Amino acid sequence: MLGRSVELARFDALLDRAADGARATARGEEFPDSGRSRLVDITGEAGIGKSRLLSEVCARARRRGMTVLRGRATEYERQVPFQVFTDALAHLDPHALDGFQETDAVAPLLQRSGAVDRFGLHRSTAVLLARLAAPSGLLLALDDLHWADPASLELLDHLVRHPVHAPVVLAVTRRDRQSPESLAARLTRELDTGTVVRLGLRPLSAINCAELAGPGLPPAETAALYAASEGNPFYFLTLLQAHRGGTTPESSAPPGLGTLLLDELTALAPSRRGIVDAVAVLGEHATPAMVSRVTGRSGTAFTADVHALTRRDLLRSAPQGLLTLRHPVVRTLVHESTPFLRRVEMHRLAAQELARAGASAAERAHHVEQSLTAWDPAAVAVLDEAAARTARTAPASCAHWLDVALRHLPHTPEHTARRRELVLRRARALAACGGLRESRDLLQELIATPRRSPGGPAVREKQDRLRVRAVVLCAVVERHLGRCTEAVALLRRELARGPAPADVVRLGLELGSAAPQDSDTSYAQVRTEVEVALAAARSTGDEVGEAGVLAVAALGEAYEGNMTAAHGFARQAAALVDSLPDNDLTALCEPLARLGWAEAFLEHYPDAERHTERGLDIARRSGQLYVVPHLLLCLSHVRVQTCRVSSALELADQAEDIARGIGSDQLLAFVLASKAAALVAACPPGDPRPLAVAEEAVAAAGTGVDWWASTAWCIFGWAALMAGDPVRARDAMLQAGGPELQRLQPSMRPLYLEVLVTSALVTGRSEEARGWAERARKEAEQLGLPMQRASALRSIAHLPLAQGDTAAAADLFAEAAAESARCGAVFWEAHSLLLGAPLEAAAGHGRGGTRAWLRGRRLAEAGGSGLLVGLADATRPPGGGSEAPYDSPDRAELTQRLATLTARELEIAELVAQGLTSQAIADRLYVSRRTVETHVSRAFRKTGVSSRTALATLMARRRTGSRFGDAHPEQD
């Protein structure tokens, strides 16, 4: 490994850390540096030695006893889903996955059939890598990532953004100039976090090349070859081989790399050149048996030719018995120089042989595509099946194969219906993988085709149904592109055409969903159309449609602040939804999200959580991933309000993965705003992360003035206020609300006005604060919602406080806490208690201030809110600690009890304190749920507590060493 000592030293350090971490973990010891995976990004031009370096790293990892998996992306198989990961996992021991409970979730990586959620596959892959890292560490080496398929790149993006909590080293190689922009950008962004380490390989020095040449070559000739190769080791060695073979002209400059390689191929006998061509064409299917079949050669002569080519180092034997060419550059040159018709025939034979061997349509699709030169129903059927099988896990490949099928489908009347169906499917796949604009263009073209074509009533009815499906999908895509006005107009135009009652329901559902997000259309403006859709559903006995329209109506009215109507619609929708089986609700996932949000805005948190969790389960099982972010974010919102902050943040993280995969800036803005809200609650005061994520949210929202943008700016304002920047917070809220704050969501306005009140007071604008507080009071009374009323009470409390009336202010904060508790808004209950506690003490309310502070602190710690814990530290009443029952002897006893816990029990207890469920802990630690619950039970027994809340309180006291509490933890 000439000239690569620095790079190898960096790798040695990473491998040592992973191996040591794995051994420490196996012994049950803590090992801080093994907490997360690292990715090494090896970059450089073709032939610079990236793969050679990776081979040496793999060898060093094996010597350390680590598990090594290596895969290579290939140039001509870029539409084969997860190809590079499949190649790596093909090297697994057959029994490595015995007992692995998530095998079905990663089936596409193992070349097994199964319909799985692609984002669930990402999470399960992380679990798989952590499992494979035990007990000695794991090196996952992925070569030539610049050629990786979109599904592999999306999976790698997930692993980079969510490092595996295990001793795993990922090493990837890629060419800088050929790398997809998204891959390069992601790896560059993560350099600052330390998740990614970049090793850019430079050309070898003249001294290194002289060592490669050996002592037999005169220095002048070595220097000439070095100058011609510019230090590129592959080019240098190719020049050296040609020079020694006497094929390089002495009187002229050395030829280019392509010329040298072509000269080497020209010298081959036709039989051997045919084998080389076949290996180049077949790629990952180039087994000796397959090469024999497509070349029509076998027996000793074929074997002898393979051996001869191997001796010449044109062919190499790879793992799993594959034949490969010695370098990707050689494969490119051979592939491009193979006559077109010969390539086509080889691919046809390969597809034929794979079908005979029982390979899936997805495995055969690549060869079918390359062999397709004219309309072939059987070949297109394979592409159609491959597209159907990959629609959920690799939508980019699905869209590609449907495009190939469409290009070969004849433009004749008998194929019109099938063409329209394929176009609709392709548009849906494009929308799922980030191709929103291309999806919209296809849908608009589909919608613009003549409404009627020859055929009977049944045919026309089918055409109308497909058209409505296209219109609804187009409206969804327009929404994600931030074009809600266009979506509303499109839906209204279709309704004006007089569709069938069932289609009226579909169109009304989408119209009711789109209108609140449109800056030019309020829900009130489409209320009539929604009522018509509800009547249509009831007239046809469509209970599913009726439930969906009721859910949309509930959200529309709740958004506008018409709470009486919203309560009524939500109750009716919930009653219908609860009576329907899951199979009937498959078409109702998005309305379930609407119902969940309506109930969240109505502050019916248990109902919102119940319906949203049900919707999530159905959406994931049925592959409706575009709905999943809205369901996840509703759950995240509910768990922030109810102070389960760690869970809220995990849900927002999952939603972010999907939003980035879909490619909608508006959806991403909403997701990042929700994540920022969870981070504000989770992080201690002064932590820069919430504001950074909120800044990214408003950047994603752009210059729009729609609901997405308004929400992002509101959360940005809250994050800025908590970061200590009231001026920026005020500006953000005014940007969100526009003139007279009309763009602020009416049902959330009192909460948002609280940010303006606080900002105004901090910056000395007392009259402005009074005006905002009075408006908050009026709007909260009109809404009649406990949490919004609590927010208005906190705003009003600042007014007497500014005049020195601490008793009146304390009473208002106490009333705000009671209002919050009434609807289960634990976060805001604790917030109100902690704001009012020092005022209670200052007003001479006896021990009331201490009790309020103690309860607020306990709620904050049990919910995992760093913000509220910091507020508790800042508002601790004088003498508050002296009244806590945990004096020094109690704390000593507490320390003694915690000392009896094992390292694993302590680790799980800490995660319990963060608010994680047993399943979430199991996912994070890569153990079973039963194992987690066993450790929790042992922790209960050893510490003498009987609830998770009590255990969380103990762990919080262990971290902070504080003296507080108005009851022993075991009494919780």
Side-chain angles (χ1 to χ4, degrees):
M1 289 303 298
L2 294 171
R4 304 300 183 213
S5 58
V6 173
E7 290 83 357
L8 286 170
R10 294 288 298 276
F11 262 114
D12 281 338
L14 288 169
L15 296 175
D16 284 342
R17 184 179 64 183
D20 291 345
R23 286 191 290 270
T25 303
R27 294 192 298 267
E29 299 173 1
E30 300 249 353
F31 192 84
D33 279 347
S34 68
R36 61 175 187 169
S37 60
R38 298 291 176 86
L39 184 144
V40 185
D41 180 24
I42 307 170
T43 65
E45 63 183 27
I48 203 68
K50 302 183 296 296
S51 298
R52 176 70 187 89
L53 175 64
L54 199 58
S55 295
E56 176 62 25
V57 170
C58 289
R60 294 184 180 209
R62 289 189 186 97
R63 288 198 290 271
R64 287 170 169 80
M66 297 175 67
T67 299
V68 176
L69 300 175
R70 183 174 183 180
R72 182 189 292 275
T74 48
E75 183 175 8
Y76 300 104
E77 290 81 20
R78 297 193 214 188
Q79 296 302 330
V80 178
F82 304 108
Q83 182 267 326
V84 67
F85 284 93
T86 298
D87 190 33
L89 293 171
H91 306 154
L92 274 178
D93 180 277
H95 301 292
L97 298 183
D98 289 353
F100 181 54
Q101 296 180 351
E102 300 190 43
T103 301
D104 290 342
V106 296
L109 305 187
L110 306 172
Q111 289 191 329
R112 300 177 187 174
S113 60
V116 300
D117 166 1
R118 84 186 204 254
F119 298 101
L121 180 147
H122 297 169
R123 295 189 295 275
S124 295
T125 300
V127 177
L128 172 61
L129 295 182
R131 173 190 172 96
L132 296 175
S136 54
L138 171 68
L139 172 65
L140 177 61
L142 305 176
D143 218 346
D144 290 334
L145 256 292
H146 49 277
W147 286 326
D149 61 277
S152 291
L153 292 177
E154 191 176 59
L155 173 53
L156 183 69
D157 182 85
H158 175 87
L159 295 174
V160 172
R161 286 188 296 107
H162 302 283
V164 182
H165 293 276
V168 175
V169 177
L170 286 85
V172 304
T173 72
R174 62 185 179 90
R175 300 178 192 170
D176 292 293
R177 295 177 184 175
Q178 293 177 246
S179 295
E181 185 178 340
S182 59
L183 171 65
R186 170 57 59 193
L187 296 178
T188 299
R189 277 197 295 270
E190 297 300 330
L191 288 173
D192 291 340
T193 67
T195 301
V196 172
V197 176
R198 178 163 294 162
L199 300 179
L201 300 192
R202 301 177 64 82
L204 298 181
S205 67
I207 295 174
N208 295 146
C209 286
E211 288 187 56
L212 277 178
L217 194 67
E221 294 178 12
T222 302
L225 296 179
Y226 171 73
S229 69
E230 298 181 343
N232 183 298
F234 178 63
Y235 190 9
F236 180 84
L237 290 171
T238 304
L239 280 168
L240 180 63
Q241 181 179 352
H243 179 77
R244 286 174 172 163
T247 60
T248 305
E250 297 181 3
S251 57
S252 62
L257 180 60
T259 302
L260 289 170
L261 293 174
L262 281 173
D263 286 344
E264 185 178 4
L265 295 171
T266 302
L268 295 176
S271 60
R272 293 179 181 178
R273 175 60 194 263
I275 292 173
V276 171
D277 290 347
V279 171
V281 168
L282 293 173
E284 62 178 3
H285 292 129
T287 62
M290 184 69 79
V291 173
S292 172
R293 291 189 184 99
V294 301
T295 58
R297 301 185 60 227
S298 60
T300 56
F302 172 76
T303 304
D305 282 343
V306 170
H307 286 322
L309 291 167
T310 304
R311 287 195 301 271
R312 294 186 63 149
D313 198 28
L314 264 173
L315 291 188
R316 291 179 178 175
S317 181
Q320 310 301 311
L322 289 178
L323 294 173
T324 66
L325 294 165
R326 73 167 176 262
H327 195 278
V329 172
V330 179
R331 186 190 180 196
T332 300
L333 192 69
V334 172
H335 192 279
E336 297 303 316
S337 63
T338 301
F340 173 71
L341 292 179
R342 187 189 299 175
R343 283 207 310 266
V344 167
E345 180 61 13
M346 287 179 178
H347 281 298
R348 187 187 67 79
L349 291 169
Q352 210 172 64
E353 292 299 327
L354 287 170
R356 188 176 292 119
S360 69
E363 288 180 80
R364 291 180 281 148
H366 162 66
H367 294 294
V368 168
E369 174 191 350
Q370 297 301 319
S371 65
L372 194 58
T373 57
W375 167 238
D376 180 344
V380 169
V382 174
L383 295 174
D384 192 342
E385 184 183 348
R389 287 182 175 274
T390 57
R392 290 176 60 179
T393 53
S397 295
C398 170
H400 171 79
W401 284 326
L402 289 172
D403 182 45
V404 175
L406 283 163
R407 281 191 272 115
H408 289 87
L409 190 67
H411 287 269
T412 54
E414 63 265 30
H415 294 294
T416 298
R418 188 175 186 191
R419 175 173 294 279
R420 290 167 63 82
E421 185 66 42
L422 291 178
V423 168
L424 182 60
R425 285 173 55 198
R426 183 164 185 262
R428 186 175 290 111
L430 286 168
C433 66
L436 292 172
R437 286 175 176 79
E438 190 177 355
S439 174
R440 179 193 61 197
D441 292 345
L442 279 178
L443 291 165
Q444 289 180 343
E445 181 181 341
L446 189 59
I447 294 166
T449 56
R451 189 181 182 197
R452 300 293 187 193
S453 62
V459 172
R460 290 196 294 273
E461 183 183 351
K462 185 175 181 181
Q463 290 171 349
D464 288 344
R465 283 201 305 270
L466 186 139
R467 177 190 170 87
V468 169
R469 285 162 57 200
V471 167
V472 171
L473 179 58
C474 190
V476 171
V477 172
E478 293 281 28
R479 275 200 283 129
H480 283 300
L481 287 170
R483 293 161 52 93
C484 289
T485 301
E486 288 80 356
V488 169
L490 176 66
L491 293 161
R492 278 184 159 158
R493 187 183 71 173
E494 192 63 24
L495 281 167
R497 290 174 176 267
D503 292 334
V504 169
V505 175
R506 295 188 188 96
L507 294 164
L509 271 171
E510 179 54 30
L511 184 61
S513 299
Q517 300 172 21
D518 180 16
S519 58
D520 298 327
T521 309
S522 68
Y523 177 77
Q525 291 173 277
V526 300
R527 187 179 284 124
T528 300
E529 287 96 331
V530 174
E531 289 172 354
V532 169
L534 181 58
R538 286 172 170 167
S539 70
T540 57
D542 179 5
E543 288 187 317
V544 174
E546 181 184 355
V549 178
L550 286 167
V552 166
L555 178 59
E557 300 293 359
Y559 177 89
E560 295 290 342
N562 302 319
M563 293 307 168
T564 300
H567 280 293
F569 284 129
R571 280 195 298 271
Q572 293 177 65
L576 263 179
V577 164
D578 292 342
S579 71
L580 293 169
D582 283 359
N583 286 342
D584 288 352
L585 296 179
T586 300
L588 207 59
C589 286
E590 189 157 13
L592 272 172
R594 308 290 175 198
L595 176 59
W597 275 111
E599 291 169 330
F601 292 151
L602 290 167
E603 300 173 8
H604 299 166
Y605 298 125
D607 291 335
E609 190 159 9
R610 178 168 55 86
H611 290 130
T612 305
E613 286 181 332
R614 189 179 181 194
L616 262 178
D617 182 55
I618 297 169
R620 282 175 165 153
R621 280 192 281 109
S622 58
Q624 299 180 64
L625 291 177
Y626 74 97
V627 185
V628 171
H630 299 281
L631 292 159
L632 289 169
L633 295 179
C634 182
L635 268 182
S636 179
H637 171 81
V638 167
R639 288 179 183 174
V640 169
Q641 311 313 309
T642 54
C643 206
R644 289 170 286 167
V645 177
S646 295
S647 173
L649 193 54
E650 287 193 6
L651 291 163
D653 275 337
Q654 292 179 34
E656 183 185 356
D657 290 342
I658 303 173
R660 292 189 185 278
I662 290 174
S664 166
D665 288 341
Q666 280 66 33
L667 178 59
L668 183 61
F670 184 40
V671 168
L672 291 173
S674 298
K675 181 176 179 179
L679 280 168
V680 169
C683 296
D687 193 306
R689 288 177 293 168
L691 190 57
V693 174
E695 286 174 334
E696 190 180 352
V698 296
T703 58
V705 292
D706 53 20
W707 175 78
W708 311 89
S710 176
T711 301
W713 278 106
C714 285
I715 302 302
F716 177 81
W718 186 34
L721 182 63
M722 295 300 101
D725 192 343
V727 173
R728 209 173 176 194
R730 177 180 180 273
D731 291 346
M733 299 307 295
L734 295 177
Q735 169 78 20
E740 300 299 319
L741 302 184
Q742 290 305 307
R743 289 201 299 267
L744 292 185
Q745 181 176 332
S747 56
M748 297 284 285
R749 224 175 255 156
L751 184 63
Y752 293 148
L753 283 166
E754 186 179 356
V755 175
L756 280 171
V757 170
T758 309
S759 300
L761 286 169
V762 173
T763 55
R765 302 169 184 259
S766 56
E767 284 306 310
E768 181 180 307
R770 185 178 299 277
W772 295 133
E774 179 59 21
R775 180 171 176 178
R777 182 190 66 77
K778 290 179 179 177
E779 298 211 20
E781 289 304 318
Q782 184 177 351
L783 291 171
L785 298 173
M787 194 189 83
Q788 297 301 321
R789 190 180 294 118
S791 182
L793 287 167
R794 288 193 300 272
S795 292
I796 297 167
H798 291 294
L799 305 181
L801 183 60
Q803 297 175 349
D805 190 348
T806 55
D811 288 343
L812 287 166
F813 280 121
E815 191 179 348
E819 283 289 326
S820 300
R822 193 155 65 87
C823 66
V826 177
F827 180 89
W828 298 109
E829 179 189 358
H831 185 61
S832 303
L833 289 168
L834 293 170
L835 288 174
L839 304 181
E840 295 257 10
H845 290 176
R847 297 180 58 189
T850 299
R851 285 194 294 269
W853 183 85
L854 291 170
R855 176 166 173 77
R857 175 72 183 239
R858 187 172 63 221
L859 293 174
E861 290 189 322
S865 174
L867 174 69
L868 294 180
V869 170
L871 179 60
D873 291 341
T875 60
R876 185 188 191 95
S882 63
E883 297 189 30
Y886 287 119
D887 55 18
S888 297
D890 291 323
R891 291 202 308 277
E893 181 184 349
L894 170 64
T895 302
Q896 184 178 3
R897 279 191 277 169
L898 290 174
T900 64
L901 300 182
T902 66
R904 182 59 106 183
E905 288 164 356
L906 272 173
E907 182 180 26
I908 288 175
E910 283 286 2
L911 295 175
V912 167
Q914 293 174 26
L916 271 66
T917 64
S918 293
Q919 187 59 58
I921 296 171
D923 292 343
R924 177 171 292 192
L925 299 181
Y926 313 107
V927 296
S928 70
R929 177 172 180 161
R930 181 175 296 179
T931 299
V932 171
E933 291 174 346
T934 298
H935 284 303
V936 171
S937 298
R938 289 173 181 167
F940 284 174
R941 186 177 68 252
K942 291 180 180 180
T943 58
V945 302
S946 58
S947 74
R948 296 171 76 93
T949 301
L951 183 61
T953 303
L954 289 182
M955 297 309 296
R957 286 182 50 74
R958 174 178 178 265
R959 288 194 303 271
T960 62
S962 58
R963 299 168 63 187
F964 68 93
D966 54 1
H968 286 286
E970 55 267 33
Q971 295 171 344
D972 272 357

